Structure formats: C-alpha cells, structure tokens
Amino acid sequence: MWLPCRCTTKYVAASIRRGVSASFLHVLRRGRSSWNSAAFMPESAGFEGVSGRDALHDYSVSHSENFWAAVARQRLNWIRPFDAVQDCDLSQGRIKWFEGGKLNVSVNCLDRHVHTCPERVALIWERDERGSEVRYTYRELLEMTCRLGNLLRRHGVKKGDCVTIYMPTCPLAVASMLACARIGAAHNVVFAGFSSEALAERIRDAQSSTVITVNQGVRGGKITELKRTVDAAVQSCPTVRQVFVAMRTEKRVEMADRDIALEEEMLKEDVVCEPAAMDSEDVLFLLYTSGSTGKPKGLVHTQAGYLLYAALTHRYVFGYHDGDVFGCVADIGWITGHSYTVYGPLANGGTTVLFESTPVYPDPGRYWDMVERLRINQFYGAPTAIRLLIRYGDQWVKKYDRSSLTTLGSVGEPINTEAWEWYNRVVGEGRCPVVDTWWQTETGGICIAPKPSEPDAEIVPGMAMRPFFGIKPVLMDTEGKLLTSNNTSGALCMAQPWPGMARTIHNNHQRFLETYFHPYPGYFFTGDGAYRSQEGYYQITGRLDDVINVSGHRIGTAEIEDVVVSFTLFLYPYHICDAVCSDEAHLSDFILIISVTQFAKRLPKTRSGKIMRRVLRKVVDCDLEGLGDLSTLDDPAAVQEIIEGHEKVLSK
Ligand code: WTA
C-alpha cells in the first residue's frame, strides 16, 4: 500500500481544527429551526409533534411501527396490504416485516414508473469503452425483464428457486435480477471476477439449477472468459441444469447441451409477463459475503422490507430527486450494487448509472469524465478508489466539468481524513456534502450517514455520524454492558430491528444467530467498533476482530491507518506493540510507536477493496494453515509476497 506523505503535526493540527470548527457550526445551527418535516418527507405528515430532522428521527425510533407503516403504505405498491407491521424479537433473531402483505418487487421498480413516465431513462450503461454509453428507458427495461421472466418460466424456473447470476454490471444483469423478482425466484449474484471454485461453491450452497452469464467480460480494456469460468464451475455443481449465455462481445463461445443463447431465446418471448404475488417475507435474493473463516455466508434478504429500506435510504441519504442521475460505481456483485445501483434508484423511479469499467481506465480521469458526460448528480464510490486517484494528482479531476454534482458518497471502509478532504475539496469543489455511509451486506441499506440532516447541520470529515430513520445504534463494552456516555468507544450494535436487515444465512440459521445475535443478547451485533463523540456522532473504527490492544486500549485499524497515512510507509498494523497517548484524547490523536515494520508492495485485498487483515494476522502468527477462505481475494499472489516479506523480517 503506497501512502502519500504528510507530516504528523499537520495531521494533528487538522484534527484540532476539525474539533474547533465543529463546535462553531454547532452553535450556528442551534440558532435556527425552520425545518418542515412534511415538506421534507411527505410520509411524515401524519406524525404528531414532529418538527425537525432530529424529532423525525426520534419519532422513527420511538414510534417505529407507525413510522414504518406510513412509509411502507405510501412508498410501495401492494397487491394486498400487510396485516402486521413487524414481528421481531432480536433476542431470538426473529425478523419479520409487513406480514400478510403481497407485492411484486419488479412491479415496484418498473411497471408503476412505466405507467407514469415510460420514456424516462432507467439505466445508463457506462460501458468499459469510454464514450459508448447506452440508455434504456423504463419501458425498455420492463420489456427486457418480461421477456427474460417468460424465458426463465418456460425453462422451468419456479417460485422459490434460486438463479445464480455471474455477469458484469450491465443492463441484462439488472433485467435478470428483476426477472427473477418478477416470477418469484431468488437471485444469487456472484461477482464476475471470482474464480470458478468460488463460483462453484456459491452455486452449490445456493442449490441453483440455473445460471445466467455472458460469453466474455470486458473491464479495464481486458477480456475475461466468463463463460469458460462457468463451464469449469458447473463441472462440480450437479444441480445445474441450464446456463443462459448473453453476448457481451462478438466472440462465439463453445455451447454445450445445457447452454442456451440468451438474447436469441428472449426474442421469442412475449413482452408481457404476469408478475408473481409475493409475500413480504419471501426471499428476494441471497448474497454471499466472505466469512472470517471457512465458508462464505449466503445472507438472505426478503421482498418488502429490503426494497422499502433501499428506496428510503437512497432518497434521503443522497437527497435524490426526480430527474437526477445517480452514479453508484459499485459492481452489482456487491450489496452496494444491489441496493444503490439497482433496487433503491429503480424503486424511486430514478435514472441509475451502470459502471462497467475501472477508475483508471483508460486514464485516471474516467470517473470525472463520466460525471461530465452523463451529468451525474450523486456520485457514490469507495475510499480505496479515492485514495488511488489522489496519487495521480488533481489535474485528472479538474479537467472535467463537475458542476452537476450535488452529493458525494463513500462506502465500504473508513474514509481517512485526507481522502475525505480531497474528495470534498477537489472533486466536490467544497460545495457538495460528502456522505460517509456506514452499512453492511447484513443491514441491506445505509444505517449511519451524515445525511439526512438539516441543511446547515455540520458534517465532520471521516465520520458516518447520524443514524438513519428507524436505526438505534448502541455501543457495548467488552463485558457486554451498554455504554451510555458520549466520547466513548465500543462494539457497535443495533438496539432495534429495521426492515432492511438480513433474515438469515442460507442453510445455516444457527450461524446467523451465533454471529449476529448471541454476542450481545437482545441486540444485533455488527462486528464493527465505533466511537461516539461528545456531540453523539458515530465514527466507525473498523472490524472488531481487527482490533489491536495497546496498553489496555482497543484501537481500530481505521485510527491507525489515519495516523499512518502521515508517513510514506508500507505497513501492516500487527507489529504495533506500544503507544503513547493521553487518556482524554480521541484515539486517532495517538502517537504510535511502531517497533517492527514490514514493507510490502501491496496488501491482500478483496475484490471490493477491503484489506484482508485476518490474512496478515495469520502470517504474523506464522499460522499459514489457518489462512481461511481466500476465494474473495483480488490477487492471491499478494499473500505470497507478504509471506516472503515476513520471512525476511524474521530472519533479520
Ligand atoms: C465496513 C458494504 C467504515 C465495515 C456496504 C462493515 C465501513 C463492512 C463503512 C461491510 C464506512 C462499510 N466506514 N467502515 N462508511 N462502510 N464499512 O458487507 O467494517 O461489503 O462491517 O458492505 O465494511 O462490508 P460489506
């Protein structure tokens, strides 16, 4: 990992300045209270005594059922209204929302918008080849989805089946997801960069009989043989009966008996497809996320609650309005792609960008060129890409007109102060709020983010800050006791259920209970640590299983990395054996003394850019047998480099 040079004193000064300006803004804010919650959120018109964002949040938590009932009735189209808002018990890990209700997710994402504005653009496919974007209207996307739904039905896919989708981010992938939703099948999107073994493991666990793929993928100017990967994977998947193959490139690929040419067959289908009436709690999709050991977990999301939560967060965290162009650059293989490229924007009748390329192809100006060309209003990306782009210099950003931008989002890992400031100052020219959004595959949608808030409310760099409507975060100490004061750090848990949460782990409810509900009985445990500031704002400090104990203080990797960014160092943070700090100081103001440092060209990262710290820890512990599930690694060679580097350090 290359870290840009910055001196520590500047860092400390910046963090002090941050504190000063934060409290100054706080005073400014108190002087005003002109917020009209009904104008802000029409659903809240009937909530008594609610004026202001804080009051609306309080209401959403204290009158959770009223809040979610009103939002669900108004924001979703129901075939049959629900009987009960919720039936949840966190102590039992039971989560059910809107039971008795029936709806169809694809109707909510497509048909209702086709009725009001058929020619509105639903998707802008930003293809890998720069400047060759393709637009699809709601009418076209509905047609594509219906043809695909009919095709799947004709080939025996039924309600309750699970279809594995191994495709790059493209319109047919979106239509495949929606076609599954239309006919009541669950989908299981597997990131189209995973190896055949990783794919096979997910197909087997999901018990899919149908796979949808493309002949070849195109990303960063490189061709990948996706069909070939599927061929290799299905060798060890006896459940697979059929593989639908779409054509991303002209190249013909070998077709076996089980293979079906997707576009050709779609053309034979009708453009009308009867939507299945689904129960609120029927499965919408599985999405696998890597577990720290052993098998990946297939998290299960259901229909109504998930869709509602994705739609509401998309609308309010990003301030999305009709006519805006929303640019989430995450791959559809991740939960971010599910919730903020597909379901949230489409449920809101929005225009969403499907980004097929990489931030540096054909050059490091790709994102901003795209912002200019597509007139993107909200841009949602990952800190790892931001840090990469900082290295190439501001000129790649400034070259392009970014005046369309109104909000910048960040997700996936803590955004260090330097990256936050660059994003805000250089990309957003200081005029776009930066929303550092904290959430997980398990949470379905954003849980903590600076927005929504009152227009002049402060935003503190590098902090996710405020819980979303209906979200009640709490911090726990190591003994499992609730930490009630501010200016404190602990394990981040949720004290109340919300509609977007995952319902189980496919085929392994016990693991679901053990991972998320047993550690702190009565609470949902996120696995992350957080700091709650004096003002009550949350800052995520990183995975708790990555915590380092320094002189009795638990320090998260985010805090260390924020400080370490000050040096030109290649470092992994497991040899930190001492630290000097003052008790009152916020952890990130620690001065760390690093006794042993290993230099590495790169760190082992997942495909979505997260550092696989447990792998580093195992290397440091010389436990090479226990490296665990490596299927989500971007480049396994990085692990070998680290192992070799570690051997050199030891031999010194
Ligand atoms: C981390 C991605 C700090 C966190 C949506 C979480 C973050 C894990 C942030 C989930 C953030 C995500 N600040 N850390 N804004 N957003 N994380 O399931 O550790 O791929 O538990 O979902 O990413 O990753 P996942």
Side-chain angles (χ1 to χ4, degrees):
M1 179 172 54
W2 185 87
L3 297 162
C5 181
R6 202 169 61 149
C7 81
T8 323
T9 47
K10 199 165 140 204
Y11 167 76
V12 173
S15 77
I16 293 170
R17 263 203 318 275
R18 211 203 303 168
V20 172
S21 60
S23 50
F24 175 65
L25 283 170
H26 199 65
V27 173
L28 265 186
R29 205 189 53 195
R30 274 204 214 124
R32 304 197 197 165
S33 64
S34 56
W35 201 66
N36 177 344
S37 65
F40 171 73
M41 182 193 261
E43 292 95 332
S44 71
F47 302 159
E48 245 162 68
V50 172
S51 71
R53 191 260 170 210
D54 291 346
L56 185 52
H57 180 263
D58 289 349
Y59 185 92
S60 72
V61 171
S62 61
H63 296 76
S64 157
E65 292 215 2
N66 284 358
F67 178 86
W68 288 115
V71 178
R73 278 191 199 107
Q74 293 181 50
R75 221 156 250 280
L76 298 183
N77 276 19
W78 295 87
I79 298 170
R80 181 190 188 280
F82 49 88
D83 303 317
V85 181
Q86 58 136 336
D87 172 20
C88 302
D89 180 354
L90 292 185
S91 68
Q92 304 286 317
R94 184 177 71 238
I95 308 132
K96 291 179 177 175
W97 287 85
F98 312 119
E99 275 187 307
K102 285 191 184 287
L103 78 171
N104 185 281
V105 165
S106 78
V107 169
N108 275 275
C109 290
L110 300 172
D111 306 50
R112 59 173 170 163
H113 311 310
V114 172
H115 289 141
T116 54
C117 43
E119 299 311 315
R120 182 184 289 174
V121 174
L123 309 177
I124 309 179
W125 182 21
E126 171 74 4
R127 300 168 78 235
D128 193 54
E129 301 86 345
R130 171 143 80 180
S132 68
E133 67 271 12
V134 187
R135 291 176 165 78
Y136 292 78
T137 65
Y138 271 93
R139 188 180 47 73
E140 289 167 329
L141 183 57
L142 175 61
E143 275 187 27
M144 208 185 335
T145 301
C146 285
R147 284 179 191 273
L148 243 159
N150 288 329
L151 180 63
L152 291 174
R153 261 193 191 141
R154 185 156 63 81
H155 283 266
V157 178
K158 297 183 304 298
K159 197 166 166 174
D161 290 351
C162 179
V163 174
T164 294
I165 299 174
Y166 186 71
M167 298 171 102
T169 301
C170 63
L172 272 175
V174 176
S176 299
M177 294 163 78
L178 294 169
C180 289
R182 193 154 195 99
I183 65 171
H187 58 70
N188 165 34
V189 181
V190 177
F191 175 62
F194 280 163
S195 65
S196 60
E197 293 82 22
L199 172 61
E201 189 176 12
R202 287 157 177 77
I203 294 175
R204 279 195 302 265
D205 193 73
Q207 294 142 308
S208 285
S209 55
T210 303
V211 177
I212 310 180
T213 190
V214 298
N215 60 339
Q216 295 183 310
V218 185
R219 191 156 176 267
K222 292 194 198 82
I223 300 280
T224 44
E225 301 292 339
L226 297 184
K227 167 67 164 57
R228 209 178 286 161
T229 309
V230 173
D231 287 345
V234 299
Q235 297 278 314
S236 60
C237 300
T239 51
V240 174
R241 275 191 292 115
Q242 52 196 359
V243 177
F244 291 93
V245 185
M247 297 293 279
R248 168 59 181 88
T249 64
E250 303 286 301
K251 176 88 189 299
R252 296 215 145 275
V253 288
E254 222 168 280
M255 299 287 273
D257 283 349
R258 56 156 196 269
D259 299 332
I260 301 160
L262 185 74
E263 291 96 331
E264 246 174 79
E265 292 300 311
M266 272 172 73
L267 283 177
K268 301 178 187 159
E269 299 293 337
D270 196 17
V271 294
V272 177
C273 173
E274 179 66 20
M278 302 300 288
D279 289 330
S280 296
E281 284 298 334
D282 282 336
V283 175
L284 178 62
F285 64 85
L286 316 186
L287 188 59
Y288 285 84
T289 168
S290 55
S292 53
T293 52
K295 274 172 61 144
K297 304 177 269 197
L299 286 154
V300 173
H301 283 281
T302 56
Q303 314 268 327
Y306 169 80
L307 187 67
L308 180 68
Y309 197 73
L312 202 71
T313 46
H314 171 254
R315 164 71 185 82
Y316 289 103
V317 172
F318 298 99
Y320 184 88
H321 288 97
D322 268 1
D324 286 350
V325 176
F326 191 78
C328 168
V329 291
D331 192 278
I332 50 149
W334 313 125
I335 189 69
T336 311
H338 281 57
S339 301
Y340 300 108
T341 304
V342 181
Y343 288 112
L346 296 180
N348 288 331
T351 299
T352 182
V353 174
L354 307 178
F355 183 67
E356 191 183 36
S357 195
T358 81
V360 290
Y361 181 76
D363 60 49
R366 179 60 187 258
Y367 279 168
W368 324 119
D369 163 54
M370 174 177 77
V371 165
E372 176 182 298
R373 238 181 322 109
L374 310 185
R375 304 295 299 158
I376 289 174
N377 301 103
Q378 292 86 6
F379 180 87
Y380 194 26
T384 176
I386 302 298
R387 284 194 290 270
L388 173 73
L389 294 178
I390 292 176
R391 292 163 50 175
Y392 289 98
D394 300 1
Q395 72 278 11
W396 288 106
V397 185
K398 293 190 172 152
K399 223 172 129 177
Y400 299 100
D401 173 17
R402 286 151 288 122
S403 59
S404 59
L405 288 173
T406 58
T407 304
L408 297 171
S410 162
V411 62
E413 47 176 325
I415 177 162
N416 53 298
T417 322
E418 184 174 10
W420 192 99
E421 272 163 4
W422 186 84
Y423 202 23
N424 180 48
R425 182 175 47 79
V426 180
V427 177
E429 299 166 310
R431 34 171 203 87
C432 308
V434 171
V435 287
D436 172 9
T437 63
W438 176 87
W439 60 296
Q440 313 175 296
T441 306
E442 292 84 342
T443 70
I446 295 163
C447 287
I448 309 182
K451 294 264 173 186
S453 58
E454 311 203 22
D456 54 358
E458 66 179 315
I459 296 185
V460 184
M463 266 199 170
M465 298 183 78
R466 304 178 173 94
F468 189 71
F469 301 125
I471 298 294
K472 189 177 176 189
V474 291
L475 299 179
M476 299 288 184
D477 71 9
T478 40
E479 266 100 62
K481 283 211 287 299
L482 202 62
L483 291 160
T484 50
S485 58
N486 282 353
N487 192 16
T488 190
S489 298
L492 179 66
C493 293
M494 297 296 165
Q496 275 187 200
W498 66 99
M501 23 183 349
R503 304 301 197 252
T504 187
I505 292 175
H506 182 66
N507 280 340
N508 204 343
H509 193 62
Q510 193 54 30
R511 186 176 180 195
F512 183 66
L513 298 177
E514 281 163 14
T515 312
Y516 306 109
F517 298 96
H518 289 174
Y520 299 94
Y523 297 86
F524 168 82
F525 173 47
T526 66
D528 283 343
Y531 164 73
R532 186 167 55 226
S533 73
Q534 199 58 52
E535 295 82 12
Y537 301 141
Y538 288 87
Q539 177 170 35
I540 311 306
T541 49
R543 300 295 303 168
L544 275 179
D545 42 21
D546 287 333
V547 150
I548 296 152
N549 215 315
V550 183
S551 317
H553 294 270
R554 290 154 62 95
I555 305 184
T557 48
E559 291 145 334
I560 293 164
E561 281 157 14
D562 207 3
V563 175
V564 170
V565 154
S566 325
F567 306 93
T568 309
L569 264 193
F570 301 105
L571 171 136
Y572 61 79
Y574 291 94
H575 277 317
I576 296 168
C577 60
D578 201 0
V580 185
C581 69
S582 84
D583 274 350
E584 318 79 45
H586 174 214
L587 289 172
S588 60
D589 292 339
F590 278 17
I591 300 161
L592 296 170
I593 297 171
I594 298 158
S595 65
V596 181
T597 314
Q598 178 183 328
F599 291 81
K601 275 204 223 86
R602 56 198 174 139
L603 293 172
K605 288 194 177 179
T606 64
R607 296 277 185 161
S608 59
K610 290 194 217 303
I611 302 169
M612 262 205 189
R613 296 191 175 82
R614 67 182 165 79
V615 169
L616 300 176
R617 194 166 41 235
K618 292 290 177 191
V619 174
V620 172
D621 293 345
C622 298
D623 177 12
L624 299 187
E625 300 290 296
L627 289 176
D629 169 29
L630 298 180
S631 65
T632 55
L633 262 184
D634 184 27
D635 183 0
V639 180
Q640 201 47 43
E641 286 172 20
I642 300 277
I643 294 172
E644 284 161 19
H646 186 241
E647 279 162 6
K648 277 196 201 126
V649 170
L650 290 185
S651 63
K652 267 188 197 148

